[in-house]
PDB file of all heavy atoms in Angstrom:
ATOM      1  N   LYS A  58     -16.140  20.792 -11.222  1.00  0.00           N
ATOM      2  CA  LYS A  58     -15.659  20.152 -12.517  1.00  0.00           C
ATOM      3  C   LYS A  58     -15.058  18.743 -12.196  1.00  0.00           C
ATOM      4  O   LYS A  58     -14.815  18.393 -10.968  1.00  0.00           O
ATOM      5  CB  LYS A  58     -14.538  21.005 -13.046  1.00  0.00           C
ATOM      6  CG  LYS A  58     -15.110  22.334 -13.534  1.00  0.00           C
ATOM      7  CD  LYS A  58     -14.019  23.153 -14.291  1.00  0.00           C
ATOM      8  CE  LYS A  58     -14.541  24.383 -14.834  1.00  0.00           C
ATOM      9  NZ  LYS A  58     -13.450  25.180 -15.663  1.00  0.00           N
ATOM     10  N   VAL A  63      -3.045  16.568 -15.472  1.00  0.00           N
ATOM     11  CA  VAL A  63      -2.167  17.748 -15.448  1.00  0.00           C
ATOM     12  C   VAL A  63      -0.803  17.327 -16.095  1.00  0.00           C
ATOM     13  O   VAL A  63      -0.456  17.814 -17.101  1.00  0.00           O
ATOM     14  CB  VAL A  63      -1.927  18.444 -14.165  1.00  0.00           C
ATOM     15  CG1 VAL A  63      -0.934  19.586 -14.246  1.00  0.00           C
ATOM     16  CG2 VAL A  63      -3.204  18.949 -13.598  1.00  0.00           C
ATOM     17  N   GLY A  71      11.047  11.531 -17.574  1.00  0.00           N
ATOM     18  CA  GLY A  71      10.368  11.835 -18.808  1.00  0.00           C
ATOM     19  C   GLY A  71       8.959  12.202 -18.607  1.00  0.00           C
ATOM     20  O   GLY A  71       8.050  11.269 -18.192  1.00  0.00           O
ATOM     21  N   SER A  85       8.787  16.715 -12.148  1.00  0.00           N
ATOM     22  CA  SER A  85      10.059  16.041 -11.895  1.00  0.00           C
ATOM     23  C   SER A  85       9.986  15.085 -10.638  1.00  0.00           C
ATOM     24  O   SER A  85       9.062  15.132 -10.076  1.00  0.00           O
ATOM     25  CB  SER A  85      11.232  16.952 -11.725  1.00  0.00           C
ATOM     26  OG  SER A  85      10.888  17.807 -10.511  1.00  0.00           O
ATOM     27  N   LEU A 116       2.745   4.730 -16.971  1.00  0.00           N
ATOM     28  CA  LEU A 116       2.458   6.036 -17.277  1.00  0.00           C
ATOM     29  C   LEU A 116       1.052   6.086 -17.878  1.00  0.00           C
ATOM     30  O   LEU A 116       0.697   5.402 -18.807  1.00  0.00           O
ATOM     31  CB  LEU A 116       3.460   6.679 -18.120  1.00  0.00           C
ATOM     32  CG  LEU A 116       3.316   8.193 -18.527  1.00  0.00           C
ATOM     33  CD1 LEU A 116       3.754   9.008 -17.274  1.00  0.00           C
ATOM     34  CD2 LEU A 116       3.989   8.528 -19.746  1.00  0.00           C
ATOM     35  N   SER A 117       0.275   7.074 -17.393  1.00  0.00           N
ATOM     36  CA  SER A 117      -1.118   7.195 -17.913  1.00  0.00           C
ATOM     37  C   SER A 117      -1.551   8.640 -17.811  1.00  0.00           C
ATOM     38  O   SER A 117      -1.037   9.344 -16.875  1.00  0.00           O
ATOM     39  CB  SER A 117      -2.043   6.250 -17.109  1.00  0.00           C
ATOM     40  OG  SER A 117      -3.444   6.436 -17.513  1.00  0.00           O
ATOM     41  N   THR A 119      -4.948   9.090 -17.734  1.00  0.00           N
ATOM     42  CA  THR A 119      -6.302   9.040 -17.182  1.00  0.00           C
ATOM     43  C   THR A 119      -6.233   8.581 -15.753  1.00  0.00           C
ATOM     44  O   THR A 119      -5.369   7.887 -15.236  1.00  0.00           O
ATOM     45  CB  THR A 119      -7.086   7.941 -18.026  1.00  0.00           C
ATOM     46  OG1 THR A 119      -6.413   6.669 -17.694  1.00  0.00           O
ATOM     47  CG2 THR A 119      -6.984   8.286 -19.455  1.00  0.00           C
ATOM     48  N   TYR A 123      -4.210   5.005 -12.354  1.00  0.00           N
ATOM     49  CA  TYR A 123      -3.515   5.209 -11.132  1.00  0.00           C
ATOM     50  C   TYR A 123      -4.164   4.446 -10.029  1.00  0.00           C
ATOM     51  O   TYR A 123      -5.480   4.477  -9.943  1.00  0.00           O
ATOM     52  CB  TYR A 123      -3.330   6.698 -10.754  1.00  0.00           C
ATOM     53  CG  TYR A 123      -2.533   7.356 -11.812  1.00  0.00           C
ATOM     54  CD1 TYR A 123      -3.025   7.928 -13.062  1.00  0.00           C
ATOM     55  CD2 TYR A 123      -1.084   7.399 -11.608  1.00  0.00           C
ATOM     56  CE1 TYR A 123      -2.135   8.439 -13.876  1.00  0.00           C
ATOM     57  CE2 TYR A 123      -0.288   7.896 -12.552  1.00  0.00           C
ATOM     58  CZ  TYR A 123      -0.857   8.488 -13.664  1.00  0.00           C
ATOM     59  OH  TYR A 123      -0.010   8.985 -14.581  1.00  0.00           O
ATOM     60  N   ASN A 124      -3.340   3.762  -9.105  1.00  0.00           N
ATOM     61  CA  ASN A 124      -3.827   2.962  -8.103  1.00  0.00           C
ATOM     62  C   ASN A 124      -3.988   3.668  -6.767  1.00  0.00           C
ATOM     63  O   ASN A 124      -4.765   3.323  -5.960  1.00  0.00           O
ATOM     64  CB  ASN A 124      -3.013   1.698  -7.924  1.00  0.00           C
ATOM     65  CG  ASN A 124      -2.845   0.971  -9.241  1.00  0.00           C
ATOM     66  OD1 ASN A 124      -1.822   1.008  -9.888  1.00  0.00           O
ATOM     67  ND2 ASN A 124      -3.768   0.217  -9.563  1.00  0.00           N
ATOM     68  N   TYR A 125      -3.095   4.661  -6.576  1.00  0.00           N
ATOM     69  CA  TYR A 125      -2.952   5.343  -5.311  1.00  0.00           C
ATOM     70  C   TYR A 125      -3.061   6.870  -5.520  1.00  0.00           C
ATOM     71  O   TYR A 125      -2.533   7.373  -6.329  1.00  0.00           O
ATOM     72  CB  TYR A 125      -1.670   4.920  -4.653  1.00  0.00           C
ATOM     73  CG  TYR A 125      -1.418   3.409  -4.535  1.00  0.00           C
ATOM     74  CD1 TYR A 125      -0.588   2.745  -5.313  1.00  0.00           C
ATOM     75  CD2 TYR A 125      -2.103   2.707  -3.425  1.00  0.00           C
ATOM     76  CE1 TYR A 125      -0.352   1.443  -5.249  1.00  0.00           C
ATOM     77  CE2 TYR A 125      -1.939   1.376  -3.318  1.00  0.00           C
ATOM     78  CZ  TYR A 125      -1.083   0.732  -4.258  1.00  0.00           C
ATOM     79  OH  TYR A 125      -0.890  -0.645  -4.097  1.00  0.00           O
ATOM     80  N   GLY A 127      -3.157  10.857  -3.340  1.00  0.00           N
ATOM     81  CA  GLY A 127      -3.069  11.585  -2.136  1.00  0.00           C
ATOM     82  C   GLY A 127      -4.380  12.259  -1.811  1.00  0.00           C
ATOM     83  O   GLY A 127      -5.351  12.127  -2.477  1.00  0.00           O
TER      84      GLY A 127
END
Side-chain angles (χ1 to χ4, degrees):
K58 295 188 176 182
V63 174
S85 62
L116 186 75
S117 177
T119 68
Y123 294 90
N124 306 100
Y125 305 103

